Amino acid sequence: MRNSIWIISPIDFLMPENTDVLAARDGIVIQVVQNNTEGCPKEECKKFGNYILVYHPDGTFAEYVHIKFNGSKVKEGDSIKKGDIIGYSGNTGWSAGPHLHFDCFLPGIKKAALQ
Protein backbone atom coordinates (compact mmCIF):
# COMPACT_ATOMS: atom_id res chain seq x y z
CA MET A 1 0.00 0.00 0.00
CA ARG A 2 1.26 3.43 -0.89
CA ASN A 3 2.55 5.61 1.99
CA SER A 4 2.71 2.65 4.37
CA ILE A 5 5.18 1.98 7.15
CA TRP A 6 6.58 -1.53 7.16
CA ILE A 7 6.69 -3.05 10.63
CA ILE A 8 9.20 -5.59 9.35
CA SER A 9 11.10 -5.47 6.10
CA PRO A 10 9.35 -7.69 3.57
CA ILE A 11 10.73 -11.22 3.70
CA ASP A 12 10.93 -13.80 0.92
CA PHE A 13 10.78 -17.41 2.09
CA LEU A 14 12.01 -19.86 -0.55
CA MET A 15 9.73 -22.88 -0.67
CA PRO A 16 8.34 -25.32 -3.22
CA GLU A 17 4.98 -24.60 -4.78
CA ASN A 18 2.03 -26.00 -2.83
CA THR A 19 3.71 -25.56 0.59
CA ASP A 20 1.31 -24.70 3.44
CA VAL A 21 1.18 -20.97 4.22
CA LEU A 22 0.45 -20.39 7.91
CA ALA A 23 -1.03 -17.28 9.52
CA ALA A 24 1.66 -15.36 11.39
CA ARG A 25 -0.90 -13.83 13.79
CA ASP A 26 -4.61 -13.77 14.58
CA GLY A 27 -6.68 -11.54 12.31
CA ILE A 28 -9.47 -11.05 9.81
CA VAL A 29 -9.01 -11.76 6.10
CA ILE A 30 -9.90 -8.59 4.22
CA GLN A 31 -8.84 -9.43 0.66
CA VAL A 32 -8.03 -12.52 -1.38
CA VAL A 33 -6.81 -12.64 -4.97
CA GLN A 34 -6.20 -16.14 -6.28
CA ASN A 35 -7.34 -16.13 -9.92
CA ASN A 36 -3.97 -15.50 -11.58
CA THR A 37 -1.87 -18.23 -13.17
CA GLU A 38 1.08 -16.24 -14.54
CA GLY A 39 4.41 -15.31 -13.06
CA CYS A 40 7.71 -14.00 -14.42
CA PRO A 41 10.84 -12.26 -13.10
CA LYS A 42 9.82 -8.87 -14.57
CA GLU A 43 7.99 -6.02 -12.86
CA GLU A 44 5.33 -6.11 -15.59
CA CYS A 45 4.10 -9.41 -14.10
CA LYS A 46 3.35 -7.79 -10.72
CA LYS A 47 -0.31 -7.45 -11.74
CA PHE A 48 -0.58 -11.26 -11.88
CA GLY A 49 0.30 -11.81 -8.21
CA ASN A 50 -2.10 -13.74 -6.00
CA TYR A 51 -2.23 -12.74 -2.34
CA ILE A 52 -4.05 -12.85 0.98
CA LEU A 53 -4.35 -9.64 3.01
CA VAL A 54 -5.04 -9.93 6.75
CA TYR A 55 -6.00 -7.20 9.26
CA HIS A 56 -4.67 -7.63 12.83
CA PRO A 57 -6.32 -6.30 16.02
CA ASP A 58 -3.46 -3.81 16.58
CA GLY A 59 -4.21 -2.08 13.25
CA THR A 60 -1.41 -3.66 11.25
CA PHE A 61 -1.85 -5.69 8.08
CA ALA A 62 0.00 -8.77 6.83
CA GLU A 63 0.26 -9.63 3.16
CA TYR A 64 1.07 -13.11 1.88
CA VAL A 65 2.04 -12.88 -1.80
CA HIS A 66 2.63 -15.33 -4.70
CA ILE A 67 -0.11 -17.73 -3.57
CA LYS A 68 -0.77 -20.41 -6.18
CA PHE A 69 -3.79 -20.29 -8.51
CA ASN A 70 -6.90 -21.07 -6.41
CA GLY A 71 -4.50 -21.59 -3.50
CA SER A 72 -6.35 -19.71 -0.75
CA LYS A 73 -8.05 -21.72 1.99
CA VAL A 74 -9.68 -18.57 3.38
CA LYS A 75 -12.13 -15.99 2.09
CA GLU A 76 -12.77 -12.35 2.84
CA GLY A 77 -14.30 -11.93 6.30
CA ASP A 78 -12.84 -15.13 7.75
CA SER A 79 -11.38 -14.93 11.24
CA ILE A 80 -8.02 -16.69 11.44
CA LYS A 81 -5.72 -17.75 14.26
CA LYS A 82 -1.94 -17.83 14.40
CA GLY A 83 -0.76 -21.07 12.80
CA ASP A 84 -3.89 -21.69 10.70
CA ILE A 85 -3.22 -22.88 7.15
CA ILE A 86 -4.50 -19.99 5.04
CA GLY A 87 -3.25 -21.05 1.63
CA TYR A 88 -0.57 -22.65 -0.49
CA SER A 89 2.58 -21.08 -1.89
CA GLY A 90 3.04 -20.55 -5.58
CA ASN A 91 4.95 -18.60 -8.19
CA THR A 92 2.46 -15.98 -9.44
CA GLY A 93 3.12 -12.34 -10.22
CA TRP A 94 6.57 -10.71 -10.15
CA SER A 95 8.51 -13.79 -9.15
CA ALA A 96 11.72 -15.44 -10.28
CA GLY A 97 10.84 -18.75 -8.62
CA PRO A 98 8.54 -20.36 -6.08
CA HIS A 99 8.50 -18.52 -2.75
CA LEU A 100 6.30 -16.69 -0.26
CA HIS A 101 6.66 -12.91 0.02
CA PHE A 102 5.51 -11.77 3.47
CA ASP A 103 5.21 -8.28 4.87
CA CYS A 104 3.52 -6.57 7.81
CA PHE A 105 2.67 -2.87 7.74
CA LEU A 106 0.65 0.08 9.03
CA PRO A 107 -1.25 1.61 6.10
CA GLY A 108 -1.41 5.28 5.21
CA ILE A 109 1.14 6.59 7.72
CA LYS A 110 3.84 8.71 6.16
CA LYS A 111 7.37 8.01 7.34
CA ALA A 112 8.01 11.69 8.10
CA ALA A 113 5.25 11.64 10.72
CA LEU A 114 7.23 9.09 12.76
CA GLN A 115 10.57 10.88 12.60
Side-chain angles (χ1 to χ4, degrees):
M1 291 184 161
R2 206 170 286 151
N3 296 323
S4 297
I5 297 295
W6 272 260
I7 304 304
I8 61 165
S9 295
I11 301 170
D12 287 333
F13 295 96
L14 298 178
M15 59 182 64
E17 289 186 55
N18 212 38
T19 300
D20 293 350
V21 174
L22 308 180
R25 300 173 55 206
D26 296 356
I28 304 290
V29 177
I30 62 164
Q31 191 171 24
V32 174
V33 173
Q34 63 175 337
N35 62 321
N36 294 303
T37 59
E38 297 180 49
C40 78
K42 298 179 182 177
E43 188 172 5
E44 63 206 42
C45 289
K46 188 174 185 177
K47 62 186 174 194
F48 302 122
N50 294 330
Y51 61 89
I52 299 168
L53 184 63
V54 176
Y55 174 75
H56 301 131
D58 65 358
T60 61
F61 290 81
E63 191 173 37
Y64 304 80
V65 186
H66 306 301
I67 303 300
K68 76 176 208 166
F69 173 70
N70 286 336
S72 178
K73 290 195 63 161
V74 295
K75 62 185 183 314
E76 292 175 15
D78 283 355
S79 180
I80 61 172
K81 297 288 183 192
K82 178 180 177 179
D84 286 352
I85 298 173
I86 60 171
Y88 301 100
S89 64
N91 191 26
T92 59
W94 185 6
S95 177
H99 71 286
L100 175 72
H101 177 92
F102 174 80
D103 57 58
C104 186
F105 58 92
L106 281 168
I109 297 176
K110 296 185 189 260
K111 291 182 182 181
L114 296 179
Q115 296 175 345

